[in-house]
Amino acid sequence: MASGGLSTSAKGKVEQLCDHLSEDLVSLTSHQRMDGVQVYLHEKDLWTKFHSVMTEMIITKAGRRMFPSYKIRVTGLNPKAKYIFLMDIIPIDSHRYKFADNQWSVSGKAEVAILGRLYVHPDSPALGIHWMRQLVSFHKLKLTNNHLDPFGHIILNSMHKYQPRLHIIKADEKSGFGSPNTAFYTHSFPETVFIAVTSYQNHTITQLKIENNPFAKGFRGNEGLDLHRLSQTPSKEYVLVPQNTTRPRMLSAVQVTNGLPLSESCMAGRDAKRTVVFCSVMSPKDAFALFISAGEPPCLKDTDLSSGVPHPEQHGNICHCLSPSVPSGSHGLYSTEPATPLQPCMYISSTGDSEVPDWPFSQDCLPQQTFSISTGQRVCGNLSYRADCLGL
DNA sequence: TCGGCTCACACATTTGAACGGA
DNA sequence: ATCCGTTCAAATGTGTGAGCCG
């Protein structure tokens, strides 16, 4: 088992629990359920796109990462309780498949499944607030077809169909962690079903992987004068920036001074008209996320602000894409004012690999306007911005 | 003969050490 | 001495395609 940063005792208990899981992967009736927990699949649209043509995942002897990566956002955990996040991948049926005539079909009986390997998220165990604050990414999980794999990768059989599953285990000693009463939550997303292959069978899948996986950029066709996506639509505010030019910094248009940190790198505030959250997190370079809403319901609620865990869609609030250059689903500047719906509003990754939008502002967008940052009634700082750069 | 697998390869991103300037 | 930003090489992650194997 890939057990990440678990302590020896915790590892032992997880392994003990996993034995229970392996014994009966479906009916864990003796365990307590975790009510109120909700899990959202990151990049669901992308997963759906792959799923529509039957997702294939390469497996190699050395281990291969999944693409799309399995990333989720979770709500409803107890912020102060510890949890362990882990994944397993189970056979979806007892068939072996083949790809012929541009479609998958059953070609025989499945080989013996290798069960019992789980991938424990390296942050485990961690507090609920930690898991809820950011995307939980399983991108480092690797798949292998080597039945003698010594690295803890998840072992699969080629040409077999699988379903990844997420398990959340309450790692609280007081509530009997490791015992049959351990509280747990299991969830699987139907769109993450895939067929393991040693080489791609469906050319459509190959193209989707090449188009969407940054590491496969080398196989994309149209090279040449490749400018930033945002820069391909010239406008008065935006400058053309070559691909290899460093993205202008967040602070070229927005400055937060003396703000109250919501988490290690998030600040939030609101004035009479809008709520603003500025997050400069994760990426060692210049990752950011900024959310702006006007009127009610705001993009964020005070409860979210105080915990640093904005969940706009959880409250039924709709955030909108502020800049027409930032497509729905990406990071960037969001406001309730324009009409383009954006779901979800915010992603922050602890792993430093989050997708960061191209920064759509030129260097000469310097802060011009300022308003107070507060959480609830408490004023704790100022945020400066230049309205025309933000499109306000 | 053929379907599936392995491996070397080119090309991409990511990571972290080394370095220099403030 | 420390911090911060930049540079660059090494490590790592990709799909491709030729060759191997059962």
Side-chain angles (χ1 to χ4, degrees):
Chain A
M1 180 190 344
S3 46
L6 281 179
S7 68
T8 308
S9 70
K11 194 191 297 180
K13 288 180 177 178
V14 170
E15 282 170 357
Q16 196 178 342
L17 191 71
C18 291
D19 287 342
H20 288 288
L21 287 166
S22 301
E23 285 166 16
D24 188 344
L25 289 163
V26 180
S27 58
L28 286 156
T29 50
S30 64
H31 292 259
Q32 296 174 7
R33 291 189 304 126
M34 285 197 286
D35 295 325
V37 175
Q38 285 189 297
V39 180
Y40 305 88
L41 181 64
H42 180 51
E43 293 184 321
K44 188 177 178 179
D45 289 349
L46 186 61
W47 275 103
T48 303
K49 202 182 286 183
F50 276 87
H51 184 59
S52 67
V53 285
M54 192 63 241
T55 312
E56 297 171 28
M57 295 290 179
I58 292 282
I59 53 176
T60 66
K61 193 177 176 182
R64 192 77 124 181
R65 289 185 176 181
M66 292 170 67
F67 188 87
S69 324
Y70 196 94
K71 297 177 184 176
I72 53 113
R73 197 167 53 71
V74 61
T75 63
L77 299 175
N78 178 349
K80 294 178 180 175
K82 280 188 177 180
Y83 297 87
I84 291 168
F85 276 56
L86 49 92
M87 252 187 83
D88 67 356
I89 298 177
I90 57 169
I92 213 166
D93 54 33
S94 55
H95 302 309
R96 181 188 174 89
Y97 290 80
K98 66 175 178 184
F99 189 77
D101 300 327
N102 209 34
Q103 61 180 2
W104 286 98
S105 56
V106 173
S107 79
K109 200 178 172 186
E111 291 175 36
V112 178
I114 309 294
L115 290 177
R117 285 224 168 161
L118 297 106
Y119 176 84
V120 180
H121 192 283
D123 288 0
S124 302
L127 296 175
I129 188 154
H130 171 82
W131 298 114
M132 293 189 290
R133 182 158 51 199
Q134 65 218 353
L135 275 177
V136 181
S137 173
F138 290 87
H139 71 286
K140 286 187 177 175
L141 179 154
K142 284 188 176 180
L143 311 175
T144 182
N145 56 350
N146 181 8
H147 288 209
L148 301 174
D149 170 72
F151 304 110
H153 301 151
I154 291 185
I155 302 168
L156 305 177
N157 287 317
S158 184
M159 313 303 271
H160 289 59
K161 195 181 280 187
Y162 292 97
Q163 168 73 69
R165 296 191 312 177
L166 168 76
H167 305 284
I168 304 173
I169 300 169
K170 199 169 186 179
D172 188 352
E173 304 282 349
K174 293 171 193 168
S175 61
F177 170 54
S179 75
N181 288 327
T182 301
F184 81 100
Y185 173 90
T186 295
H187 189 80
S188 53
F189 299 97
E191 54 270 65
T192 59
V193 166
F194 65 87
I195 293 180
V197 295
T198 55
S199 59
Y200 291 122
Q201 307 294 307
N202 187 346
H203 187 65
T204 309
I205 287 294
T206 311
Q207 287 308 307
L208 279 173
K209 299 254 184 181
I210 290 171
E211 283 168 20
N212 294 283
N213 192 333
F215 282 106
K217 264 187 181 172
F219 302 100
R220 293 179 192 172
N222 49 341
E223 301 299 328
L225 227 177
D226 192 14
L227 302 175
H228 273 238
R229 171 176 44 83
L230 293 172
S231 303
Q232 288 171 345
T233 314
S235 78
K236 286 177 183 174
E237 291 106 0
Y238 308 154
V239 290
L240 288 174
V241 185
Q243 184 77 51
N244 59 357
T245 301
T246 305
R247 189 182 300 117
R249 298 258 162 201
M250 175 71 181
L251 295 184
S252 65
V254 179
Q255 272 190 343
V256 179
T257 55
N258 303 318
L260 175 70
L262 292 175
S263 61
E264 57 187 13
S265 49
C266 279
M267 301 180 192
R270 69 191 332 176
D271 64 3
K273 292 182 179 176
R274 51 178 75 89
T275 303
V276 176
V277 171
F278 166 61
C279 293
S280 174
V281 239
M282 41 201 177
S283 166
K285 295 177 183 174
D286 52 359
F288 67 87
L290 175 66
F291 306 93
I292 300 176
S293 71
E296 295 295 337
C299 179
L300 307 169
K301 289 191 171 182
D302 284 344
T303 50
D304 297 324
L305 298 177
S306 61
S307 67
V309 187
H311 297 307
E313 67 271 36
Q314 182 189 359
H315 300 294
N317 300 329
I318 299 173
C319 292
H320 297 276
C321 185
L322 181 69
S323 164
S325 302
V326 182
S328 180
S330 67
H331 303 255
L333 295 165
Y334 308 130
S335 164
T336 55
E337 287 159 334
T340 312
L342 181 76
Q343 279 267 342
C345 183
M346 174 179 187
Y347 291 124
I348 300 173
S349 164
S350 65
T351 58
D353 70 335
S354 66
E355 303 104 32
V356 179
D358 297 322
W359 181 246
F361 306 111
S362 61
Q363 292 280 12
D364 49 24
C365 280
L366 298 174
Q368 284 188 340
Q369 298 181 22
T370 301
F371 65 88
S372 298
I373 295 176
S374 64
T375 54
Q377 303 297 316
R378 188 168 149 223
V379 177
C380 53
N382 297 299
L383 186 143
S384 305
Y385 65 95
R386 181 166 151 168
D388 57 343
C389 290
L390 298 180
L392 297 176

